[in-house]
Amino acid sequence: MTVLAQPGAYRPVPPPAWRPRAEAAPLLPDEEPYRLLGTGAELDAALLKELYAQLVKGRRYNQQATALTKQGRLAVYPSSTGQEACEVAAALALREQDWLFPSYRDTLAAVARGLDPVQALTLLRGDWHCGYDPRATRVAPLSTPLATQLPHAVGLAHAARLRGDEVVALALVGDGGTSEGDFHEALNFAAVWQAPVVFLVQNNGYAISVPLAKQTAAPTLAHKAVGYGMPGRLVDGNDAPAVHAVLTEAVTRARRGGGPTLVEAVTYRLDAHTNADDATRYRDDAEVDAWRAHDPITLLEAELASRDLLEDGGTDLRVTARDAAEALAADLRARMHAEPVLDPMALFDHVYAERTGQLREQAEQLRAELAAHDDADDADHAHHADHPDHPGTADDAEGDAR
Amino acid sequence: MTVLAQPGAYRPVPPPAWRPRAEAAPLLPDEEPYRLLGTGAELDAALLKELYAQLVKGRRYNQQATALTKQGRLAVYPSSTGQEACEVAAALALREQDWLFPSYRDTLAAVARGLDPVQALTLLRGDWHCGYDPRATRVAPLSTPLATQLPHAVGLAHAARLRGDEVVALALVGDGGTSEGDFHEALNFAAVWQAPVVFLVQNNGYAISVPLAKQTAAPTLAHKAVGYGMPGRLVDGNDAPAVHAVLTEAVTRARRGGGPTLVEAVTYRLDAHTNADDATRYRDDAEVDAWRAHDPITLLEAELASRDLLEDGGTDLRVTARDAAEALAADLRARMHAEPVLDPMALFDHVYAERTGQLREQAEQLRAELAAHDDADDADHAHHADHPDHPGTADDAEGDAR
Amino acid sequence: MSTAATGSGAARPTAAPASAPGADPARKPTPLAQALGQALRDAMAEDPAVHVLGEDVGTLGGVFRVTDGLAKEFGEDRCTDTPLAEAGILGAAVGMAMYGLRPVVEMQFDAFAYPAFEQLVSHVARMRNRTRGALPLPITVRVPYGGGIGGVEHHSDSSEAYYIATPGLHVLTPATVADAYGLLRQAIASDDPVVFLEPKRLYWAKDTWDPAHPTPVEPIGRAVVRRAGTSATLLTYGPSVPVCLEAAEAARAEGWELEVVDLRSLVPFDDETVCASVRRTGRAIVVHESGSFGGPGGEIAARVTERCFHHLEAPVLRVAGFDIPYPPPMLERHHLPGVDRVLDAVDRLQWESRWTEGGGR
Amino acid sequence: MSTAATGSGAARPTAAPASAPGADPARKPTPLAQALGQALRDAMAEDPAVHVLGEDVGTLGGVFRVTDGLAKEFGEDRCTDTPLAEAGILGAAVGMAMYGLRPVVEMQFDAFAYPAFEQLVSHVARMRNRTRGALPLPITVRVPYGGGIGGVEHHSDSSEAYYIATPGLHVLTPATVADAYGLLRQAIASDDPVVFLEPKRLYWAKDTWDPAHPTPVEPIGRAVVRRAGTSATLLTYGPSVPVCLEAAEAARAEGWELEVVDLRSLVPFDDETVCASVRRTGRAIVVHESGSFGGPGGEIAARVTERCFHHLEAPVLRVAGFDIPYPPPMLERHHLPGVDRVLDAVDRLQWESRWTEGGGR
Ligand SMILES: Cc1ncc(C[n+]2csc(CCOP(=O)(O)OP(=O)(O)O)c2C)c(N)n1
Ligand SMILES: Cc1ncc(C[n+]2csc(CCOP(=O)(O)OP(=O)(O)O)c2C)c(N)n1
Ligand SMILES: [Mg+2]
Ligand SMILES: [Mg+2]
């Protein structure tokens, strides 16, 4: 706007309402995404190797999970192929006592943290909603309603701080999720409460088909931080050590009482939104290819090579990593091919601490139906089951509709 | 965070996802709230006089409306005493075809725009929800659910732009309202759509009892703008010409297709939250007194005096303004003391374009009850009316409860 | 799906060109989702005020492809990919409607309409009333609802109980391809806000239908008898209509002639058609996927009982989803009311004369 | 308010120290709001995991002064003024509960709970079930509800229909001072999430009560007969309980002895107490402020009819608010179900023997 002369003749006593509460400049992100790969920066060799092994395993995990959808063993799989650096770095930046708050795309982060992949995939397999004990694993349930997990992370981190525990919560959200009101409310609460929470936005360029330019007009998503009074950091999301460094610094700051941080990691989803999505409807091959050239695994492998870290006393890191990845895939495949044990009566469990009268009646009804059905099955009864045991994705559902 | 050397060896083709979409610097607010009073800036004398007359009238309006609550003529009144500069400037910054989106505190802005005060106060009197035709007046209904009117303003401005009309929407919201998800979603939509809308946050330091420091940790509320990619402006909300200038510039920019602006006006609510509120529970007199010393009317009057604009050909602007204000107050008082004409059967009007069967039945029921009641009244029937005609505020309600 | 029969009552034409159904050789098996898309296309072509907005409705054509091609045909200003924020979408639609447009909002899945709940309840439903008719909001909110498609949690809710309890909204739900088109056209043409509930698992169900000459359908507020019967009435809507028709077919083998009423319009509710049927049959079952407690079935059973008490041979029963969070894909078939559950309820309709019972009646 | 009678059934003690009611000279007229505050205070004193949060609950003590003094007594970390964002408040409470706290959230008015609807429905209500019991959420959401206080629009909604249709939530509402205290203590002690609906217009209603020895009350899930009668049963809750008691008193003059059942707990629902009463009287009316269509009355009427059909001499009737947006203050008395409307409904309970009627029965 026009800047008029302000000689400052009028200077009210600064009332408490509008004294700046924080210096804005330190909260603003750097101009360029933060990077370590190729910079010659001093880096811990063990960390680089660990990241590499995890990236390779993560990629294989993504491939295997996608394959399982084709075999009808998963209802749906939203792959994080291309985003493994973010997923893995998020997991490794946390300590044992810290909590991870994943969105529906982030099973890999949970697995990289040590969660059993079969448990992590329960939601997407479809035998139950959440397949693990969040308290035991310090991994919140995968959140399907976008951005709704962010205030949970804030509340948990705040509670831990009130209890005097050194617990940090790291919450994952997508670029699309930043548009939701819950994102706003969570970040504001976090900053006002100075809660030990780190928000990692994986900006993969799309919310399903909607590109970032239709999602926001902000210079970067990291710029949103200043509006809450927390630091915003921009990082190359395909540079695993850079993401790890930025997150570790933010986690450490949070742990020390320094409050929340918003981190935007710029990355790309190489696969379609889910196995059911057709990404060619909204993006072209050239764009995908450009990003393939910046694959997080290739980048890290080049760095390891340039530092002569790929071979170690006769063992080739690439081979070890690949073998470990294959082992994970084989185990996952085998265990996912086993039919899950399903008890329909479990539908009435845990709706409340105790079943209400209403639920006891309904449970009795189902029990009777199941008994009748068993009898009928024996007698090759005509009444059919309404739906197949392994329902497919939306695209498959045609066969399912009557 | 630690700034590591970034020699830039690694430079991926900048993928479309993370090229900054806008320069951040021009979007950030100035360090100090923008001011004109006392700066010696060139100012339009007619505008100053008009603002002054409106401020005086606005103050009197606030007083009269508050008095009406004591007389049981208004159910409740949230006064904008102390905030008249914002209310009046918002009204004057708009053209005939523009739309105003007030919150529940902003009847004065509507009145300053020319709305009949009796119509503006209908909601608070309690005879209906909205007392005027929003399309005819280009004033949206007062919004009680905080921040919910902001997306409406965006949608309307967007629609007008699609139609090719030069319409700007100006939406008012409080500092507390900026914490709501709807604020976030509205600003984001506005920026993505480049909608011709101006958001004016009246930061009066409190959301009922909650001070700004418990509401946000942001440097200023205007800093939120950069996170949406729109300019943020900070202005002294008690400096009427400054608010008017900032809003006019934003409105003009919007009208020319330059997109939305977020304006934070720093001001203070001198009265309690509403007539039912006891502000001494959460703020001390010293703070109120400090702000009284920066009363928007006193400030503007001093400016007029210093410019020798108070007297004009024998007429004293103060007297003219006061007389006009008294006339408004007298008229308002008189008209608000007349019993509003109430038709209970109107309850069933305008629920839908046409009454549903359900509503026709219920309307018949009420009609019968009213008829029976009339008969009973004649016969001094024992069945009592459950509630008084003029219900009071929460504090009054004690007498109402059984 | 074999529910194309228009049922009883004179069909009033919609805005679409009416034709003599059956005469046209262009009628062919058409999925319900396609008829919905056609309704949007025709409404947009007819009235430039009609705008479609939502997540992924533009380039992608929606995750169910209902809006496929609209952005290309009418431009991105008419069919707009919005930021990912449901309250913002519906709130913006309110503003657009205030300016005279007729927005059609797509919510991607039922549970993802909840963030817009405040906008829906506190503004959309009330704006006309608040402003004494000055500001009607002709907004259509399309909500894919219900289960049976193997969706993971939060993708299969039946949320109609929330909407029918909100005065000011019309709540419609088609079960046939003709209604998908006809009701959606009516919804868009209506000056009142409409929550338009689309049964997800019927998106791919087909009826014989001609997009160029859409079958005229009954107006908003009218229920339709999809199958005539004398033994008992099944009152149902949306995804449960085909289930009830199948149950009625199966019941015939056991000697029952079940009448199936497709409610179509939950608000306004067609007491006339419903009560006429129940008075005729003397017995009724409400069938829906939504949970039972506090669900639409309670309202329907209560009002039918109020109006038809002396015609009832048995209490109105309810066959509904259980009162549990929607189950995971592998268990949903146990939750969804299917043919067996409907037939079991029919069994319980006190076919033995009640006079032989000991009860107080 | 003269509803202090605890009613039938053995009262089970709450967590509060039980005492022989009536024996204590410290019992004095106490407003319902004060008993709620006392419940919060006692719960916070007993269990350091109990945290109160919401808008203006700290320094101000809430706009209804229910939390008055708590911040001073327990510190701002235990009773916290939050930013103005209801989804954020409830969402943060979810996280706090995940970490083992027992948050008590205050929503300032009924309609201002709507922004938190997604958090409530998609997370609070389901977390225990989603995690197979690993993550119960002991959250109490206090919602002042209903009208009659002269509030402007969006300040007088009756939103219970939305909550009772959401499996996983308990929905409680007190009508007496003893229940205000006792039920709120039970809600906070419950490991399940509770929507605790506080009837706004009863906040200042008084019962004789001793804060040091709170009257023990029935547990969650139990209805209580507040007045015994034989002619018909009024099934009601919250703000309508005093209305029904007054109606019962007035009806006595006309020869009717009305039984008044205070439901207290909408979820879980006490079929036993309700049906026992209706079977005894043979006639029932559900009375509530909430709109009729899709409101709780439909559910209650339907389930009573299902269970007591052969004991009913007349259909279960409903007396409710109209199906309109809540009216402005000056008209609300025409909307709220009052004594006259209840008595009119009693009139319509088919007192002439139904056998003399021509109907099909
Ligand atoms: C509240 C809500 N609205 C809509 C959806 C449907 N939906 C699922 S994923 C998705 C896109 C998410 O984009 P983004 O946040 O960028 O995450 P990404 O998929 O890229 O990881 C949408 C719209 C949802 N899950 N939740
Ligand atoms: C969604 C919503 N939540 C809560 C309220 C209750 N309430 C009314 S005014 C108010 C404070 C508003 O503060 P602010 O936005 O700063 O505006 P001010 O009152 O200062 O003008 C609150 C919490 C509301 N009206 N709407
Ligand atoms: Mg994305
Ligand atoms: Mg304020």
Side-chain angles (χ1 to χ4, degrees):
Chain A
M1 69 176 293
T2 325
V3 177
L4 290 176
Q6 294 204 19
Y10 162 58
R11 276 274 176 280
V13 193
W18 54 265
R19 203 160 353 180
R21 288 161 294 282
E23 278 298 315
L27 306 180
L28 291 167
D30 300 334
E31 297 256 318
E32 289 269 322
Y34 182 73
R35 280 183 208 113
L36 286 174
L37 293 178
T39 64
E42 210 177 295
L43 291 170
D44 180 46
L47 176 67
L48 290 184
K49 289 182 185 177
E50 164 77 359
L51 285 168
Y52 178 74
Q54 288 269 13
L55 290 190
V56 171
K57 207 150 71 171
R59 175 66 50 90
R60 187 67 189 83
Y61 165 82
N62 272 322
Q63 288 164 344
Q64 183 58 62
T66 301
L68 286 167
T69 62
K70 304 211 173 86
Q71 295 146 18
R73 291 295 168 182
L74 283 180
V76 65
Y77 185 67
S79 166
S80 59
T81 298
Q83 306 177 210
E84 289 92 347
C86 297
E87 299 281 322
V88 163
L92 298 194
L94 296 180
R95 293 217 191 127
E96 186 77 21
Q97 75 270 27
D98 296 336
W99 275 68
L100 180 75
F101 284 79
S103 88
Y104 72 103
R105 193 181 296 290
D106 306 310
T107 52
L108 174 54
V111 169
R113 252 211 120 181
L115 201 73
D116 176 352
V118 172
Q119 289 184 4
L121 288 168
T122 300
L123 172 77
L124 305 168
R125 182 188 215 179
D127 49 320
W128 200 255
H129 308 297
C130 177
Y132 48 89
D133 178 342
R135 283 204 177 123
T137 56
R138 266 103 41 226
V139 178
L142 301 171
S143 183
T144 301
L146 296 166
T148 55
Q149 74 278 19
L150 305 183
H152 305 172
V154 176
L156 183 133
H158 178 61
R161 186 156 162 259
L162 290 180
R163 285 254 166 118
D165 299 342
E166 283 207 334
V167 170
V168 175
L170 190 145
L172 302 177
V173 67
D175 48 308
T178 66
S179 295
E180 288 283 2
D182 276 16
F183 171 87
H184 177 68
E185 302 190 9
L187 268 76
N188 189 42
F189 273 66
V192 169
W193 286 351
Q194 287 290 293
V197 56
V198 177
F199 303 96
L200 173 59
V201 179
Q202 289 188 58
N203 172 4
N204 63 7
Y206 290 87
I208 307 185
S209 70
V210 179
L212 195 67
K214 290 188 189 173
Q215 198 67 247
T216 180
T220 74
L221 295 170
H223 276 89
K224 291 183 182 289
V226 66
Y228 304 103
M230 69 175 76
R233 296 293 167 236
L234 189 62
V235 62
D236 183 334
N238 287 8
D239 180 333
V243 183
H244 185 265
V246 169
L247 288 180
T248 302
E249 186 166 310
V251 167
T252 306
R253 205 172 77 86
R255 200 183 307 284
R256 294 201 183 129
T261 304
L262 171 66
V263 178
E264 174 186 357
V266 183
T267 180
Y268 197 78
R269 149 165 78 65
L270 290 172
D271 285 350
H273 168 64
T274 68
N275 55 293
D277 175 45
D278 174 7
T280 62
R281 292 177 75 103
Y282 53 81
R283 64 187 195 186
D284 57 29
D285 290 347
E287 181 183 299
V288 183
D289 290 342
W291 277 97
R292 265 191 223 289
H294 301 285
D295 188 302
I297 301 181
T298 323
L299 295 179
L300 185 51
E301 200 170 303
E303 182 80 22
L304 285 165
S306 81
R307 290 177 186 241
D308 243 350
L309 289 170
L310 277 180
E311 313 238 9
D312 186 8
T315 56
D316 185 329
L317 194 54
R318 284 165 297 196
V319 176
T320 345
R322 200 192 317 119
D323 289 352
E326 286 307 328
L328 174 135
D331 174 64
L332 180 58
R333 202 166 46 233
R335 289 163 64 212
M336 293 296 283
H337 272 83
E339 280 302 327
V341 183
L342 294 173
D343 176 12
M345 297 309 295
L347 289 179
F348 302 97
D349 292 342
H350 311 301
V351 180
Y352 299 95
E354 272 180 57
R355 284 187 193 168
T356 60
Q358 178 89 359
L359 288 179
R360 282 195 301 272
E361 282 178 21
Q362 295 181 351
E364 272 325 301
Q365 184 189 347
L366 180 58
R367 194 188 305 283
E369 286 178 10
L370 292 169
H373 208 80
D374 280 352
D375 294 352
D377 275 352
D378 294 343
D380 197 25
H381 189 67
H383 283 164
H384 62 109
D386 292 316
H387 301 281
D389 247 343
H390 289 288
T393 60
D395 283 343
D396 293 343
E398 173 133 26
D400 196 34
R402 281 159 300 140
Chain B
M1 68 177 293
T2 325
V3 177
L4 292 175
Q6 294 204 20
Y10 162 57
R11 276 272 177 280
V13 193
W18 55 262
R19 202 161 355 182
R21 287 161 294 282
E23 277 298 315
L27 306 180
L28 291 167
D30 300 334
E31 296 256 318
E32 290 269 322
Y34 182 73
R35 280 184 207 112
L36 285 173
L37 294 178
T39 63
E42 210 176 296
L43 292 169
D44 180 45
L47 175 67
L48 290 183
K49 288 181 185 177
E50 164 78 358
L51 285 168
Y52 177 74
Q54 288 270 13
L55 289 190
V56 171
K57 208 152 69 172
R59 175 66 49 90
R60 189 66 190 84
Y61 165 82
N62 273 320
Q63 288 163 345
Q64 183 58 60
T66 301
L68 286 167
T69 63
K70 303 209 172 88
Q71 294 146 17
R73 292 295 168 183
L74 284 180
V76 63
Y77 185 67
S79 166
S80 59
T81 299
Q83 305 177 213
E84 290 92 346
C86 298
E87 300 280 322
V88 163
L92 298 195
L94 296 179
R95 293 216 191 129
E96 186 77 20
Q97 76 269 27
D98 296 335
W99 275 68
L100 181 75
F101 284 80
S103 88
Y104 71 105
R105 193 181 296 289
D106 306 310
T107 51
L108 175 53
V111 169
R113 250 210 124 181
L115 201 72
D116 176 352
V118 172
Q119 289 184 5
L121 287 168
T122 300
L123 172 77
L124 305 168
R125 182 188 214 179
D127 49 318
W128 200 256
H129 307 297
C130 178
Y132 47 89
D133 178 341
R135 282 206 177 124
T137 58
R138 266 102 42 226
V139 178
L142 302 171
S143 183
T144 301
L146 296 166
T148 55
Q149 73 279 18
L150 305 183
H152 305 172
V154 176
L156 183 132
H158 178 62
R161 187 156 161 259
L162 291 180
R163 286 254 166 117
D165 299 341
E166 284 208 333
V167 170
V168 175
L170 190 146
L172 302 176
V173 67
D175 46 310
T178 65
S179 296
E180 289 283 2
D182 276 14
F183 172 86
H184 176 68
E185 301 188 12
L187 267 74
N188 190 42
F189 272 66
V192 169
W193 285 351
Q194 287 291 292
V197 56
V198 177
F199 303 97
L200 173 59
V201 179
Q202 290 187 58
N203 171 5
N204 62 7
Y206 289 88
I208 308 187
S209 70
V210 179
L212 195 68
K214 290 189 188 172
Q215 197 67 246
T216 179
T220 74
L221 295 170
H223 276 88
K224 290 183 182 289
V226 66
Y228 304 102
M230 69 175 76
R233 296 293 167 235
L234 189 63
V235 62
D236 183 335
N238 287 7
D239 180 333
V243 183
H244 185 265
V246 170
L247 289 179
T248 302
E249 187 167 308
V251 166
T252 307
R253 205 173 76 87
R255 199 183 309 285
R256 291 199 186 130
T261 304
L262 171 65
V263 178
E264 173 186 359
V266 183
T267 181
Y268 196 77
R269 148 167 77 66
L270 290 172
D271 284 349
H273 168 64
T274 69
N275 55 293
D277 176 45
D278 173 8
T280 64
R281 292 177 76 103
Y282 53 82
R283 66 186 194 185
D284 57 30
D285 290 348
E287 181 182 300
V288 183
D289 290 343
W291 278 98
R292 264 191 224 290
H294 300 285
D295 188 301
I297 301 181
T298 324
L299 295 179
L300 185 51
E301 200 170 304
E303 182 80 21
L304 286 166
S306 80
R307 290 177 187 242
D308 245 350
L309 291 170
L310 277 180
E311 313 238 9
D312 185 10
T315 55
D316 185 328
L317 194 54
R318 284 165 297 196
V319 176
T320 345
R322 199 192 318 121
D323 289 352
E326 286 308 326
L328 174 135
D331 174 63
L332 179 57
R333 202 165 46 232
R335 288 162 64 212
M336 293 296 283
H337 272 83
E339 280 302 328
V341 183
L342 294 173
D343 176 11
M345 296 308 295
L347 290 178
F348 303 96
D349 291 343
H350 310 303
V351 180
Y352 299 96
E354 269 180 59
R355 285 188 193 166
T356 60
Q358 177 89 358
L359 289 178
R360 282 195 302 272
E361 282 179 22
Q362 295 182 350
E364 271 326 301
Q365 184 189 347
L366 180 59
R367 194 188 304 282
E369 286 178 10
L370 292 169
H373 207 80
D374 280 353
D375 294 351
D377 275 353
D378 294 341
D380 196 26
H381 189 66
H383 283 164
H384 62 109
D386 291 317
H387 301 281
D389 247 342
H390 289 289
T393 61
D395 283 344
D396 292 334
E398 174 134 25
D400 197 34
R402 279 157 302 138
Chain C
M1 194 163 83
S2 53
T3 61
T6 306
S8 73
R12 304 187 201 165
T14 63
S19 74
D24 199 317
R27 288 165 62 93
K28 56 169 183 267
T30 309
L32 191 139
Q34 190 185 315
L36 293 168
Q38 189 64 42
L40 294 171
R41 183 168 291 106
D42 291 353
M44 290 173 85
E46 232 170 62
D47 182 354
V50 176
H51 283 242
V52 169
L53 63 164
E55 295 155 9
D56 303 289
V57 297
T59 313
L60 188 67
V63 294
F64 294 107
R65 303 292 187 269
V66 170
T67 59
D68 196 16
L70 298 181
K72 214 170 214 167
E73 200 169 328
F74 299 99
E76 293 200 7
D77 284 345
R78 295 283 305 282
C79 179
T80 309
D81 280 331
T82 64
L84 209 167
E86 293 78 7
I89 297 169
L90 189 54
V94 169
M96 292 164 74
M98 285 170 79
Y99 203 74
L101 302 187
R102 305 185 89 82
V104 182
V105 162
E106 175 173 307
M107 295 289 165
Q108 204 161 78
F109 284 87
D110 21 46
F112 308 144
Y114 301 154
F117 197 69
E118 182 186 31
Q119 286 290 345
L120 188 74
V121 172
S122 294
H123 287 296
V124 174
R126 304 184 196 192
M127 193 66 90
R128 174 193 286 275
N129 181 256
R130 293 164 73 199
T131 60
R132 286 200 173 100
L135 221 54
L137 294 181
I139 298 175
T140 303
V141 185
R142 295 179 40 236
V143 183
Y145 82 121
I149 63 155
V152 302
E153 59 171 359
H154 304 118
H155 285 76
S156 299
D157 282 17
S158 288
S159 39
E160 57 267 38
Y162 304 135
Y163 304 128
I164 68 166
T166 306
L169 302 176
H170 287 315
V171 184
L172 311 181
T173 178
T176 68
V177 170
D179 262 355
Y181 180 91
L183 273 181
L184 183 52
R185 289 300 305 272
Q186 292 177 24
I188 298 170
S190 167
D191 283 341
D192 286 318
V194 174
V195 174
F196 193 83
L197 297 166
E198 303 176 356
K200 278 196 276 301
R201 62 175 154 134
L202 299 187
Y203 271 141
W204 305 277
K206 290 177 182 149
D207 284 334
T208 303
W209 189 75
D210 175 8
H213 301 95
T215 324
V217 302
E218 295 279 319
I220 291 174
R222 293 290 288 271
V224 165
V225 176
R226 294 279 176 222
R227 179 189 174 112
T230 52
S231 317
T233 302
L234 302 181
L235 299 168
T236 189
Y237 58 87
S240 297
V241 170
V243 175
C244 286
L245 288 170
E246 203 179 326
E249 193 57 41
R252 171 173 280 172
E254 310 190 32
W256 287 313
E257 290 296 340
L258 302 180
E259 181 144 310
V260 178
V261 178
D262 175 359
L263 298 170
R264 305 168 74 248
S265 172
L266 296 177
V267 181
F269 191 84
D270 185 353
D271 288 306
E272 215 179 299
T273 303
V274 166
C275 291
S277 172
V278 176
R279 289 204 187 98
R280 233 185 292 118
T281 62
R283 288 177 170 84
I285 303 172
V286 190
V287 182
H288 59 57
E289 247 186 70
S290 160
S292 175
F293 196 90
E299 174 61 39
I300 298 167
R303 64 193 303 114
V304 166
T305 307
E306 280 163 22
R307 286 162 172 73
C308 312
F309 189 62
H310 294 290
H311 297 82
L312 285 176
E313 303 291 340
V316 178
L317 298 183
R318 291 182 278 171
V319 173
F322 297 127
D323 290 303
I324 58 175
Y326 195 87
M330 288 188 185
L331 290 171
E332 67 180 337
R333 69 193 170 93
H334 298 291
H335 172 72
L336 293 169
V339 169
D340 289 346
R341 204 168 285 162
V342 174
L343 294 178
D344 286 350
V346 174
D347 265 337
R348 286 183 287 119
L349 279 174
Q350 310 189 354
W351 298 97
E352 67 291 4
S353 166
R354 68 199 151 83
W355 308 124
T356 65
E357 287 213 325
R361 275 158 74 90
Chain D
M1 193 164 81
S2 52
T3 61
T6 307
S8 74
R12 303 187 203 164
T14 63
S19 73
D24 198 317
R27 288 164 62 91
K28 55 170 184 266
T30 309
L32 191 140
Q34 190 185 314
L36 293 168
Q38 189 64 41
L40 293 172
R41 184 169 289 107
D42 290 353
M44 291 173 84
E46 231 172 61
D47 183 353
V50 176
H51 283 240
V52 168
L53 64 163
E55 294 155 9
D56 303 289
V57 297
T59 313
L60 187 66
V63 295
F64 293 107
R65 302 292 187 269
V66 169
T67 59
D68 197 14
L70 298 182
K72 217 175 213 162
E73 200 168 329
F74 299 98
E76 293 199 9
D77 283 345
R78 295 283 304 283
C79 179
T80 310
D81 280 331
T82 64
L84 210 168
E86 293 77 9
I89 297 169
L90 190 55
V94 169
M96 291 165 75
M98 286 170 79
Y99 203 74
L101 302 187
R102 304 186 89 83
V104 182
V105 162
E106 175 173 307
M107 295 288 164
Q108 203 160 79
F109 283 86
D110 21 46
F112 307 144
Y114 301 154
F117 197 68
E118 181 186 32
Q119 285 290 344
L120 188 74
V121 172
S122 293
H123 288 296
V124 174
R126 304 184 195 191
M127 193 66 89
R128 174 193 285 276
N129 182 256
R130 293 165 73 199
T131 60
R132 286 199 173 101
L135 221 54
L137 294 181
I139 298 174
T140 303
V141 185
R142 297 180 39 237
V143 183
Y145 82 119
I149 64 155
V152 301
E153 60 171 358
H154 303 118
H155 285 75
S156 299
D157 282 18
S158 289
S159 38
E160 57 268 38
Y162 304 135
Y163 304 127
I164 68 168
T166 305
L169 302 176
H170 287 316
V171 184
L172 311 181
T173 179
T176 69
V177 169
D179 263 355
Y181 180 90
L183 273 181
L184 183 52
R185 288 300 304 273
Q186 293 177 24
I188 297 170
S190 167
D191 283 340
D192 286 318
V194 174
V195 174
F196 193 84
L197 297 167
E198 303 177 356
K200 278 197 277 299
R201 62 175 154 133
L202 298 187
Y203 271 141
W204 305 277
K206 288 177 184 150
D207 284 334
T208 304
W209 189 75
D210 174 7
H213 301 95
T215 324
V217 302
E218 294 279 319
I220 290 174
R222 294 289 289 271
V224 165
V225 176
R226 295 279 176 220
R227 179 188 175 113
T230 51
S231 316
T233 303
L234 303 182
L235 299 168
T236 189
Y237 58 87
S240 296
V241 170
V243 174
C244 286
L245 288 170
E246 203 179 325
E249 193 58 41
R252 171 172 281 171
E254 310 191 32
W256 288 312
E257 290 295 341
L258 301 180
E259 181 145 308
V260 178
V261 178
D262 175 0
L263 298 170
R264 304 169 73 250
S265 172
L266 296 177
V267 180
F269 191 84
D270 185 353
D271 287 308
E272 214 179 298
T273 303
V274 166
C275 290
S277 172
V278 176
R279 289 204 187 99
R280 232 183 295 119
T281 62
R283 289 177 170 86
I285 304 171
V286 190
V287 182
H288 61 56
E289 246 184 71
S290 160
S292 176
F293 196 90
E299 174 61 40
I300 298 168
R303 63 193 303 114
V304 165
T305 307
E306 280 163 22
R307 285 161 173 74
C308 312
F309 189 64
H310 294 291
H311 297 82
L312 286 176
E313 302 292 338
V316 178
L317 297 183
R318 291 182 279 171
V319 173
F322 298 126
D323 291 302
I324 58 175
Y326 195 87
M330 288 186 185
L331 290 172
E332 67 180 336
R333 69 193 170 93
H334 298 292
H335 171 72
L336 292 170
V339 169
D340 289 348
R341 205 168 285 161
V342 173
L343 294 177
D344 285 350
V346 174
D347 265 339
R348 285 184 288 119
L349 278 175
Q350 310 189 355
W351 297 97
E352 68 290 5
S353 165
R354 67 199 151 84
W355 308 123
T356 65
E357 286 214 325
R361 275 157 71 90

